[in-house]
Amino acid sequence: MFIKALEIEGFKGYQEKVVFEFNKKIEGIIGENGTGKSSIGDSIRWLLSGYDASGSDKNTSILLNNKSKKMRVAAVFEEDGKEIKAERTYDGETAVLTVNGKGQTSKAFESLY
């Protein structure tokens, strides 16, 4: 399974929506200090597990960009030619995970990957 595309909005340093597209040959992400490289990994972790980088799901609000009222991380995964779209949103109170447009629990999502 690999990530074809990643959308981040309102997450840490990414206030506006940013879309990253990946192919199977990506080997690394490079950039200047403070440009959000680690936040890309953090956003994938939060999307997949609901946890922040410290492993705590109780501090979701610390991931929210300080100028945003909500955050959203979405990704398109591909495995064996099949695409799975996962999205996790947070409105300041509640985090919601959807997979292919249907509500899911993190545990149910884990079984997909």
Side-chain angles (χ1 to χ4, degrees):
M1 180 179 289
F2 80 98
I3 300 173
K4 288 180 67 171
L6 177 69
E7 295 180 15
I8 303 172
E9 183 176 6
F11 186 92
K12 294 177 96 174
Y14 293 98
Q15 180 183 3
E16 301 296 321
K17 179 176 148 181
V18 177
V19 178
F20 298 95
E21 293 185 12
F22 304 105
N23 62 46
K24 291 181 180 180
K25 296 183 186 223
I26 188 166
E27 293 182 15
I29 298 172
I30 59 171
E32 299 292 323
N33 288 343
T35 58
K37 299 177 304 292
S38 296
S39 295
I40 294 169
D42 292 345
S43 71
I44 294 168
R45 179 184 176 121
W46 182 69
L47 170 64
L48 295 176
S49 69
Y51 294 104
D52 66 14
S54 70
S56 174
D57 64 346
K58 302 202 185 319
N59 293 322
T60 300
S61 62
I62 66 170
L63 300 173
L64 182 63
N65 179 281
N66 60 4
K67 295 179 182 175
S68 300
K69 294 181 181 179
K70 62 180 182 173
M71 69 180 167
R72 177 180 164 272
V73 176
V76 176
F77 300 91
E78 182 180 310
E79 183 170 7
D80 300 327
K82 179 182 171 188
E83 288 189 354
I84 299 168
K85 182 171 183 179
E87 177 178 87
R88 190 178 295 267
T89 58
Y90 178 70
D91 64 5
E93 294 182 21
T94 306
V96 176
L97 171 66
T98 59
V99 178
N100 293 331
K102 297 180 181 178
Q104 291 285 337
T105 66
S106 292
K107 288 285 185 195
F109 185 47
E110 283 178 24
S111 68
L112 296 174
Y113 70 91

